[in-house]
Amino acid sequence: MKPNKYQQIVLDDLRSFLARWRLSNNPATAFSEHWLEKGVSRMRPYHLAATNAPQICTKVPTAGGKTLIGIYALQEILNAMDKRQGEPRVCVWLVPSLSIKDQVLNRFNLAGDGYWLALREALGHRVSVLSKEDLLSGSGKFNAQRVREEVVIAVLTYDSLRSKKVEGRKLYQSNSELSSFDADISVSEPDESFDSDSLVAALASLQPVVIVDESHNATSELSRESIDRLKPSCVLELTATPRQTANIISFVDAMALRDELMVKLPVVVRNLLDQSAVISHAIDLQKRLEAEAIAEQSNGGSYIRPIVLFQAEPKNKTDSLTFEKLKDQLVKDRNIDPSWIKIKTANVDELKKEDLLSPNCPVRFIITVNALKEGWDCNFAYILATLADRSSPIDVEQILGRILRQPNIRKHGKIPLNMSYVLTASTVFSEALEKIVAGLNRAGFSRNDYRTPDAIEPMSDQQTTIQGQTENATFELTATGDLLSTTNESSQPTDTNTTATASDALEPATITKISGSKNYSVDSTIQYGEHANSQLDSAASKTDGQYIAPEQREMMNSFPIRKDFVAEIAALKLPQFFRRAPAGSLFDEKNGGALLDKNMLLEGFRLVDCNINDFKANLSSGDVAQIDLKELNAEGIADYEPTRISLKPHEITTLRNYLATLTPDAKRRQLSGLVSSWLGKMPPLSEPDLRAYISKLLERLTPDELDSVVEQQNVFVETVRKRVRLEMKNYRQKTLVQWVRTNTVFSVENFSFPKESSPVSLYAPTSNTLYEREEKAKSSDIEKAMTDWLAESPNICWWHRNHQSRGFFLNGSINHYPDFIARTYNGTIVLIETKGEHLKNDDSDTKVELGKLWQDCAGRKFRYIMVFEQTPLDGALSWQDAIEMLNAI
């Protein structure tokens, strides 16, 4: 069970933030830098938590797979904090209800389940998932040794942790079963609000990672205090609707879920004449969808049995259509088989023993009032028919999310099976629709994700419309997302005509107007939905899968390509390196090969074979790691990151005493495993190769140096990490040169400029910038000087300040993002890298060589230059020589 495309983007965002936090040791700084790097200039400041530990949030719509994200996020957090084997690795996973707690525990512990497999893929095979009862039992399942040998995940509800008075709460009471944690508790900061030998005290002494699932349920001050008592090393919130002060590091757009076949979008909303019409339409629509499902299965599709969720009225007045009355009406008046109907309310649960996904299950109608909240999943739920009075306090949003999940995570051949449906009856439909919109908002969706043929408000003169037709009704779509009104004028059917704006590819148009005679038949609903679905397909094709959530877009500066250059840029593609795909290769082939990834260049690399004669352990410098902090790579991660191994004094003493009993060879074997654990994974290197290399290094150390490894873990680990990365980079560069010579690697015009740019700091507008505004240089003087020269040069047709993690890059032994891309009037495309004297380093040599290889492969239309203020490296140019070249080509 691997993360899909948008889930991986969320994890990349997390990794980017954590890398910046590691470098600054300040979550507020990391938060600000994270968003500036993504082009977001108006994100509000980081909301400070009670501790200096990061407290961050990811916003993912309902049905987006937050649990799977949480599993792989835990891996990223533990790695970033250097929580290795031999150190406590504990996660407190908080959920909002007992039902969700039981669901998580069951799936995390059920061998072969997708979540069970994901835990072991992400965290290794030594994982324990414990309940509150397991934790309280202490020595049986939760003890100081286990948290150092395994990753321990404690699944708890909010209510078990939060309390105004901790007295009487088992988690806060003295517990002799937890005596193995006495040494950990003794060196942690005391908290007088609970017993020092309680479960909470033990957890707090281990500084757990806290994952807060559905964190919108934990917004109270009491909830925050309860989490703070755990003294977490990091808090990650997972929710579709973050609290106002949440430090959101990632937004997911609903269309990304649709692309990954996670949800049934659009949501088609029908406003019918009355409750009876809602019931009739729901029954007929269910029959139609089931017929589509049967036809789908007969053509090789999966089994689907569409289900209707009826939201009945509460018993607050004599004429309410309650769940009892509704079931009676379905059976007696509508001739529905009683076995097809189940009730789920706070006091009646007829679903407890039902496997709703089984072909043997007859259920097609579920009646509820307010019971189906988070955690209830049935991918066969397609229709929400709400019978609640428009003035009722029942909120539609509480169960709207239950119909959104796409069955079998696949696109179905029958289009109606790819959508979801909401039926309601209201004399004031705008109020009912606002509840539905609120429900979408709570589920992490927006107005862009629903469609209704029933009108709401007048259309403004400024709106751009798209016309279409469903049987006897004509409707219009607006690209602004505003809602349109009904007109009583009859209108003739029109051919589909699109008047598109630049926003069409970003925010799918909203179908909202119907004129002429209304048609409440199921066919009109289906046809209307199919047309709406095609509009979403069209919008998705224009974005090429690159979605920016509306909340994020609102905080960005967005500037299009200048009109003078649009046609040219649409046809322009910059060359990048491709590797020729070997016969029978699994590479994603394009133009006869696959886009070169730097790790491909490690083919045949064995770390253990590298020469280590010049290796120095640097153990005499004390436990202060001297580290080169290089630029962030394409994923926003520093090439060299500081390790923070935090063995406690008693752990160091215990380890040192144990090692003192061993012979030098036995000591090396033990340290090999420890150092490997401290170092962590270094993809794509195999762990056996890495461990063999560490053993080889330890053989060079004297007995005294072996003792120093324990005392100076950070220094030794950083020395090893830096050396390993240098070996890999040198091997990649050597392989690249060889493959270019043998035509195993060749250039393909591949990279296309995005249609919009999102600069944070704006350079003054000039007529020759590629985009209407460009990023202002903010580092070296030479970079600022080059910006001004390009803007004023009579030989430069257009220029662009290349983004240093999201822009064009030369893909070789490193991913190199040149500072500028420019075109001269004779048609030459020039990549320009500027270097102040203080930036002359080993990477500069690598970049110069990579640029020359790229230029030789790309042809005379393309040039690469590296410019220094004064003394250039071999292959680079001085400022004066660079300007002369740029004026000449």
Side-chain angles (χ1 to χ4, degrees), residues 521-704:
S521 73
V522 167
D523 282 344
S524 72
T525 300
I526 294 293
Q527 291 179 20
Y528 181 84
E530 288 177 341
H531 191 96
N533 185 71
S534 70
Q535 292 295 330
L536 286 185
D537 285 343
S538 176
S541 67
K542 295 176 185 177
T543 63
D544 193 28
Q546 303 300 312
Y547 299 109
I548 299 177
E551 305 98 321
Q552 181 174 332
R553 177 168 291 280
E554 289 173 0
M555 297 180 287
M556 300 173 68
N557 299 317
S558 294
F559 297 97
I561 296 170
R562 287 189 179 277
K563 292 182 180 179
D564 292 347
F565 309 131
V566 168
E568 174 190 347
I569 297 304
L572 176 64
K573 292 189 176 182
L574 300 183
Q576 290 180 296
F577 284 123
F578 274 62
R579 181 203 172 156
R580 195 170 304 284
S585 171
L586 295 178
F587 288 142
D588 181 19
E589 294 190 17
K590 180 179 181 181
N591 299 303
L595 183 67
L596 180 69
D597 179 87
K598 63 184 180 180
N599 288 334
M600 293 179 184
L601 297 167
L602 288 173
E603 185 176 292
F605 178 70
R606 276 171 43 93
L607 181 62
V608 73
D609 292 339
C610 294
N611 190 315
I612 62 169
N613 290 336
D614 60 341
F615 176 78
K616 295 180 180 179
N618 297 323
L619 292 171
S620 60
S621 60
D623 198 12
V624 179
Q626 301 296 318
I627 309 157
D628 287 335
L629 299 180
K630 306 274 181 161
E631 63 189 29
L632 300 178
N633 64 21
E635 290 76 36
I637 303 169
D639 282 345
Y640 298 101
E641 302 168 7
T643 296
R644 296 192 185 96
I645 299 168
S646 54
L647 292 184
K648 296 172 183 176
H650 74 276
E651 293 174 325
I652 294 176
T653 300
T654 301
L655 181 58
R656 186 173 55 223
N657 291 341
Y658 168 67
L659 292 175
T661 66
L662 303 178
T663 65
D665 286 344
K667 187 181 295 186
R668 288 186 180 92
R669 286 194 296 272
Q670 290 295 322
L671 283 174
S672 176
L674 283 171
V675 173
S676 178
S677 175
W678 294 337
L679 189 62
K681 296 180 180 179
M682 294 188 69
L685 297 179
S686 70
E687 292 186 46
D689 187 28
L690 189 58
R691 184 160 181 168
Y693 180 74
I694 292 169
S695 297
K696 189 175 176 180
L697 295 179
L698 290 172
E699 288 174 2
R700 294 178 52 82
L701 301 188
T702 67
D704 288 343

Side-chain angles (χ1 to χ4, degrees), residues 17 117 271-272 591 707 710 784 845:
F17 168 83
L117 292 170
N271 185 43
L272 301 163
N591 299 303
D707 291 336
V710 178
K784 296 174 184 176
D845 286 331

